[in-house]
């Protein structure tokens, strides 16, 4: 059984320049796959709103949904560092709400850390959660929960002003006590500068190669979620295609009576079958096979 990595291990990996591997997962099976693959960290992202529930965005996702999925992931990956993603309105209102909801992830789903979106403006939330004894990952750049304010799902930090705002946000997140930070969809030069400036591990999703580790959305990289694929995604499998082909073959087999085959049935004990046939015949009934319609 492998040893679960701790936050200290991630600091050492940053120090040594060893990339941290990071993936989202929303359920027990994919969590088992990630752990078998040797993944360092799993994010139970509120992207499950789109990838699992078919919502248009992450806004409708509730704390209760996040807890159910985080708990399933924890069971599937008991020896992997699991981070629970705080959904919209679970921390935006007050520091107290942020602490209470972060605490639910730890108590009810046994996560190792929580993630929340924003920089300077959520610094007091991060500090409150950290002061209550929990570990936090910050998340800046393209922050999906505030995408309407950002003018949509748009890369950030592409102008000097915006790049400086990203640096200010990253420093505020570290200053507030976050243990790690995730940069989403910002240019590699800005991400690399932040990585070199901060002492905490800096993870990238669409922020280029100069970070301490890389995150992908499992449904994107496995080819499960087909509605939209961001530019930064590399596809490693075509699971939706494989599943659709398998389900189509099953539909055809059932329609053509090619399934089930003799190996898929539970036969009666032979002498009991004779007695059953006699009993049915006595009642003037018939048992198959007598021609199927
Ligand atoms: O919910 C999620 O999966 C995320 C990623 C987009 C970083 O927050």
């Amino acid at each position: 059984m492998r040893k679960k990595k701790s936050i200290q291990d991630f600091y050492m990996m940053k120090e040594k320049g060893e990339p941290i591997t990071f993936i989202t997962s929303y359920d027990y099976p994919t969590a088992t796959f990630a752990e078998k693959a040797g993944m360092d960290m799993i994010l139970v992202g509120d992207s499950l709103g789109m990838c699992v529930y078919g919502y248009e965005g992450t806004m409708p996702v509730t704390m209760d949904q996040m807890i159910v999925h985080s708990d399933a992931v924890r069971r599937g990956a008991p020896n992997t560092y699991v981070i629970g993603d705080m959904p919209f309105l679970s921390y935006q209102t007050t520091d107290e709400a942020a602490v209470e909801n972060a605490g639910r992830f730890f108590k009810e789903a046994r996560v190792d850390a929580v993630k929340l979106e924003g920089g300077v403006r959520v610094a007091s939330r991060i500090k409150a959660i950290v002061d209550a004894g929990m570990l936090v990952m910050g998340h800046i750049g393209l922050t999906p929960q505030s995408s309407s304010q950002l003018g949509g799902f748009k890369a950030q930090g592409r102008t000097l002003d915006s790049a400086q705002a990203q640096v200010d946000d990253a420093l505020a997140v570290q200053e507030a006590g976050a243990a790690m930070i995730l940069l989403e969809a910002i240019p590699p030069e800005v991400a690399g500068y932040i990585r070199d400036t901060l002492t905490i591990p800096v993870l990238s999703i669409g922020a280029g190669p100069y970070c301490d580790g890389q995150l992908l959305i499992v449904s994107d990289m496995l080819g499960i979620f087909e509605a939209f694929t961001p530019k930064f995604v590399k596809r490693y499998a075509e699971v939706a295609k494989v599943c659709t082909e398998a389900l189509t073959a099953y539909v055809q087999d059932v329609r053509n009576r090619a399934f089930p085959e003799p190996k898929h049935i539970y036969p009666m004990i032979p002498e009991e079958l004779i007695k059953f046939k006699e009993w049915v015949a006595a009642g003037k009934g018939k048992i198959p096979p007598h021609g199927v319609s």
Side-chain angles (χ1 to χ4, degrees):
M1 195 173 63
R2 75 171 187 162
K3 190 177 158 287
K4 186 164 118 184
K5 288 200 169 91
S6 67
I7 189 68
Q8 285 76 21
D9 292 317
F10 299 128
Y11 278 77
M12 278 186 9
M13 288 171 82
K14 176 179 175 104
E15 188 75 27
K16 290 188 201 154
E18 269 177 41
I20 299 166
T21 56
F22 192 16
I23 194 77
T24 68
S25 169
Y26 316 113
D27 53 38
Y28 176 87
T30 52
T32 65
F33 305 153
E35 183 154 306
K36 278 188 205 154
M39 201 68 63
D40 294 314
M41 285 185 202
I42 293 177
L43 171 69
V44 187
D46 65 353
S47 48
L48 62 76
M50 286 96 84
C51 300
V52 175
Y53 287 94
Y55 303 147
E56 278 186 11
T58 56
M59 296 290 212
V61 175
T62 65
M63 269 303 295
D64 286 346
Q65 286 171 319
M66 291 307 301
I67 295 291
V68 166
H69 288 272
S70 302
D71 186 36
V73 167
R74 169 48 80 213
R75 283 195 295 274
N79 300 308
T80 306
Y81 198 90
V82 172
I83 301 170
D85 200 11
M86 298 192 67
F88 182 60
L89 283 194
S90 68
Y91 60 93
Q92 281 89 347
T93 50
T94 61
D95 289 356
E96 291 72 24
V99 172
E100 208 161 295
N101 285 315
R104 283 195 64 194
F105 274 101
F106 286 84
K107 281 171 81 117
E108 298 174 42
R110 292 152 291 123
V111 301
D112 298 291
V114 290
K115 173 174 90 54
L116 54 85
E117 297 183 7
V120 173
R121 70 179 175 180
V122 296
S124 84
R125 306 289 187 267
I126 296 175
K127 185 171 180 328
I129 298 170
V130 173
D131 285 349
M134 296 172 270
L135 284 167
V136 174
M137 170 180 273
H139 176 178
I140 63 166
L142 195 181
T143 43
Q145 290 174 16
S146 42
S147 59
S148 52
Q149 284 183 340
L150 302 176
F153 290 88
K154 284 195 182 145
Q156 302 295 305
R158 300 182 75 190
T159 61
L160 173 63
D161 282 354
S162 176
Q164 285 170 336
Q166 299 309 317
V167 174
D168 290 346
D169 276 340
L171 286 167
V173 165
Q174 174 170 278
E175 184 81 0
M180 293 169 278
I181 188 166
L182 175 66
L183 311 181
E184 178 165 354
I186 67 173
E189 299 82 0
V190 182
Y193 176 73
I194 291 173
R195 189 254 167 218
D196 290 346
T197 304
L198 299 193
T199 54
I200 60 177
V202 176
L203 286 302
S204 153
I205 178 163
Y210 312 125
C211 288
D212 298 311
Q214 295 294 329
L215 170 67
L216 278 180
I217 305 274
V218 74
S219 315
D220 290 336
M221 62 91 77
L222 291 182
I224 297 171
F225 183 73
E226 292 181 304
F228 170 72
T229 306
K231 177 180 177 178
F232 56 73
V233 173
K234 178 172 175 185
R235 274 274 172 98
Y236 286 84
E238 298 296 339
V239 170
K241 190 164 167 282
V242 170
C243 291
T244 309
E245 281 169 7
L247 291 167
T248 306
Y250 168 66
V251 166
Q252 279 167 359
D253 274 2
V254 171
R255 288 192 178 140
N256 299 335
R257 297 195 179 281
F259 174 84
E261 298 165 44
K263 65 183 175 193
H264 301 125
I265 60 154
Y266 300 95
M268 277 189 85
I269 298 161
E271 50 276 30
E272 296 300 314
L273 179 58
I274 292 168
K275 287 191 239 168
F276 180 61
K277 280 182 178 166
E278 287 168 359
W279 178 76
V280 170
K284 307 251 181 286
K286 275 190 196 160
I287 58 164
H290 49 67
V292 278
S293 56

